């Protein structure tokens, strides 16, 4: 039996959370990266392995000109580097945020892993959103929203960094609302 995806946040809820986070350049950038790229928190910050933090985004992992960044994902017990696409606005924010950093600097090591985990819930609560919002909620939003906007399953698998297509398919659940909307487009539009 495949795993069940968490209940997604809506686009309106996501925008409210991002609006609340705008007071902190760092927090806003972290949440925006999670929402616009679908990366995992471990890819953003790194992983604790053998008593030290490893991987995580360094300035040298960001290609500002081609609007990409590279993250490390765990695949079959090995960390594999994968390319992630970044939108114009987010790459601009990254460029400004990392302006004083050296290529070797980790972009988000001025905050703890635990603090990053708490950001979505903190800003959701400020905006009166009572869902249990997590960093994974942002990943779920990215994948689900990309699917609904027409990205095919194979490309979506690549964007999400999934090794198995079945994992990607968890996020492509069809709702009654989706079916009705498509039906109305075809037969009434």
């Amino acid at each position: 039996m495949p795993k069940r995806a968490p209940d997604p946040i809506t686009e309106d809820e996501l925008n409210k959370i991002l609006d609340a986070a705008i007071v902190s350049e760092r927090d806003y950038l972290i949440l925006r990266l999670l929402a616009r790229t679908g990366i995992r928190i471990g890819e953003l910050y790194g992983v604790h392995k053998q008593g030290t933090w490893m991987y995580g985004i360094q300035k040298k992992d960001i290609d500002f000109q081609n609007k990409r960044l590279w993250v490390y994902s765990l695949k079959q017990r090995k960390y594999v580097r994968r390319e992630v696409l970044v939108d114009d606005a987010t790459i601009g924010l990254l460029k400004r945020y990392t302006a004083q950093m050296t290529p070797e600097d980790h972009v988000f090591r001025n905050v703890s892993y635990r603090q990053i985990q708490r950001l979505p819930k903190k800003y959701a609560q400020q905006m009166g959103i009572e869902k249990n919002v997590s960093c994974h909620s942002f990943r779920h939003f990215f994948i689900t929203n990309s699917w609904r906007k027409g990205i095919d399953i194979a490309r979506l698998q690549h964007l999400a960094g999934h090794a198995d297509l079945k994992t990607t398919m968890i996020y492509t659940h069809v709702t009654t609302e989706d079916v009705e909307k498509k039906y109305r487009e075809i037969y009434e539009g």
Side-chain angles (χ1 to χ4, degrees), residues 31 41 112-125 133 135:
L31 294 176
I41 186 173
S112 74
Y113 189 90
R114 182 72 64 210
Q115 286 172 307
I116 293 173
Q117 283 181 312
R118 292 180 179 142
L119 289 177
K121 191 168 194 85
K122 170 186 170 180
Y123 290 110
Q125 286 175 338
V133 182
C135 290

Side-chain angles (χ1 to χ4, degrees), residues 5-174:
D7 291 331
I9 57 175
T10 65
E11 191 162 4
D12 183 54
E13 290 167 334
L14 173 71
N15 289 332
K16 285 179 181 177
I17 293 167
L18 291 175
D19 287 347
I22 201 86
V23 297
S24 166
E25 180 184 28
R26 181 199 67 203
D27 293 359
Y28 179 76
L29 180 56
I30 288 169
L31 294 176
R32 186 173 173 93
L33 262 174
L34 294 172
R36 298 289 188 252
T37 65
I39 61 175
R40 301 167 180 95
I41 186 173
E43 294 169 333
L44 175 96
Y45 192 81
V47 293
H48 197 257
K49 190 174 177 181
Q50 300 169 343
T52 187
W53 284 98
M54 300 173 67
Y55 308 113
I57 301 170
Q58 292 177 281
K59 184 176 180 179
K60 68 181 179 182
D61 295 325
I62 306 167
D63 180 346
F64 297 104
Q65 184 176 347
N66 294 308
K67 297 180 278 188
R68 289 164 165 65
L69 59 89
W70 284 266
V71 297
Y72 288 88
S73 301
L74 184 61
K75 300 286 178 217
Q76 299 172 346
R77 299 183 195 168
K78 291 182 185 172
Y79 283 90
V80 178
R81 192 172 189 224
R82 75 176 180 97
E83 182 182 60
V84 176
L85 301 175
V86 184
D87 66 281
D88 290 330
T90 306
I91 206 75
L93 292 168
L94 269 170
K95 191 171 193 169
R96 189 173 75 219
Y97 186 77
T98 61
Q100 302 302 314
M101 294 181 180
T102 69
E104 299 301 316
D105 285 341
H106 283 88
V107 178
F108 298 110
R109 290 288 167 80
N110 61 345
V111 62
S112 74
Y113 189 90
R114 182 72 64 210
Q115 286 172 307
I116 293 173
Q117 283 181 312
R118 292 180 179 142
L119 289 177
K121 191 168 194 85
K122 170 186 170 180
Y123 290 110
Q125 286 175 338
Q126 284 181 14
M127 298 307 289
I129 298 167
E130 296 184 18
K131 291 182 178 178
N132 186 19
V133 182
S134 67
C135 290
H136 192 76
S137 301
F138 283 62
R139 177 173 170 77
H140 186 271
F141 173 82
F142 171 78
I143 297 169
T144 304
N145 192 50
S146 298
W147 169 254
R148 286 187 172 154
K149 291 195 176 194
I151 294 180
D152 66 75
I153 194 77
R155 287 182 177 90
L156 191 54
Q157 177 187 6
H158 178 76
L159 282 174
H162 290 149
D164 190 338
L165 188 62
K166 289 178 192 170
T167 307
T168 309
M169 292 180 76
I170 293 169
Y171 296 90
T172 61
H173 53 275
V174 177

